[in-house]
Amino acid sequence: MGGCHSYPSATKVDSQALQPSDISSEKMGINNNNLEERPYLQQQFVCQQIPHTDMFALTALPPGIDKAEWLASNTVAFFKHINLFSSALSEFCTPSSCPTACGPDNTVYVWTDDHGRKLKCSAPLYFDYAMSYVQELLTDEDVFPTKAGSVFPAGFVFLVQKVFLLFFRSLAHIYWSHYRETLALGLHPHLNTLFAHLTLFCRQHALLEPEDTEPMQDLIRALGRQS
């Protein structure tokens, strides 16, 4: 399936990246960046991505492929990548370290339940809600059909837009609150590649509004200059 992409392994490791032993001593308490620092914008880190990754080939709709099928297969692939990445950092994202699901520019993500109630919750709970919601959609044959001859429902693109907004927020929180741990684990080239891929895919297929991506626009521009 075209959207079930994978990335090659990183071959270049920054000599100034934090070591795993630095993680606990360098934590600042409630979220890593409560001093408005944006270490992910430093050139020594922003220039690192997985090499030999043709983002435009990964994101463009291939000739002869139905757009809904392309959106669906990529949704599944991004879900797997983001879930895997989040799992690698789950021990650092706790209710005490991340009492809110936050991003840059004092952005706080609030979960809206099935009854329309807005719930301000910790980051791990918010993203547990988010990934559970996405998984339920992906396993619903009425929304993401897998059988030959099935059709996608009306409003499918709207649901995909909602899913990609949750994906974007997941990565924004990692950059904002867990970038030091990402560096310590040597995962920043993977994170940059995943984020650049996600934002390019969303731009090509009109999945996010400008106000959705605004808090991370500085990084989007910085990564774009590297390609």
Side-chain angles (χ1 to χ4, degrees):
M1 189 178 295
C4 294
H5 42 259
S6 60
Y7 307 120
S9 299
T11 56
K12 181 180 178 182
V13 178
D14 193 278
S15 61
Q16 299 184 41
L18 295 174
Q19 298 302 309
S21 59
D22 296 330
I23 294 177
S24 59
S25 62
E26 291 292 338
K27 296 252 323 162
M28 291 189 247
I30 299 178
N31 298 319
N32 284 345
N33 288 314
N34 58 356
L35 299 181
E36 294 298 313
E37 296 177 354
R38 301 193 186 204
Y40 52 80
L41 292 178
Q42 294 179 22
Q43 180 59 26
Q44 62 184 350
F45 301 134
V46 79
C47 69
Q48 294 196 38
Q49 297 186 43
I50 305 303
H52 313 303
T53 304
D54 187 341
M55 292 295 180
F56 287 96
L58 283 177
T59 57
L61 178 66
I65 299 297
D66 178 73
K67 183 171 183 178
E69 287 279 3
W70 184 241
L71 291 177
S73 62
N74 276 273
T75 303
V76 173
F78 276 115
F79 174 74
K80 291 178 178 178
H81 280 295
I82 293 172
N83 231 359
L84 183 63
F85 203 98
S86 298
S87 297
L89 297 168
S90 60
E91 67 180 290
F92 309 112
C93 188
T94 66
S96 58
S97 67
C98 302
T100 60
C102 60
D105 298 335
N106 297 314
T107 304
V108 175
Y109 304 126
V110 179
W111 185 255
T112 303
D113 68 12
D114 294 337
H115 304 288
R117 295 174 300 194
K118 296 186 180 299
L119 308 176
K120 188 175 181 180
C121 50
S122 68
L125 183 56
Y126 178 92
F127 294 112
D128 182 58
Y129 285 152
M131 293 299 107
S132 296
Y133 168 79
V134 175
Q135 187 167 33
E136 286 182 11
L137 287 180
L138 295 181
T139 55
D140 187 341
E141 278 287 330
D142 292 331
V143 181
F144 281 81
T146 58
K147 298 176 182 177
S150 299
V151 296
F152 290 89
F156 176 72
V157 173
F158 171 78
L159 288 174
V160 170
Q161 289 172 327
K162 187 173 181 179
V163 167
F164 274 84
L165 177 59
L166 295 174
F167 289 164
F168 181 87
R169 290 178 174 181
S170 298
L171 296 185
H173 177 73
I174 290 173
Y175 271 109
W176 186 243
S177 296
H178 301 293
Y179 194 67
R180 297 189 72 85
E181 292 95 338
T182 302
L183 288 176
L185 295 171
L187 294 175
H188 49 297
H190 296 270
L191 180 59
N192 285 343
T193 304
L194 180 56
F195 185 74
H197 184 189
L198 178 83
T199 52
L200 179 59
F201 186 82
C202 289
R203 187 166 74 247
Q204 286 201 351
H205 301 287
L207 299 179
L208 293 176
E209 297 293 336
E211 57 265 30
D212 297 329
T213 60
E214 181 56 35
M216 297 295 291
Q217 199 59 48
D218 49 6
L219 179 61
I220 293 171
R221 286 192 293 266
L223 291 173
R225 289 193 290 269
Q226 308 305 312
S227 56

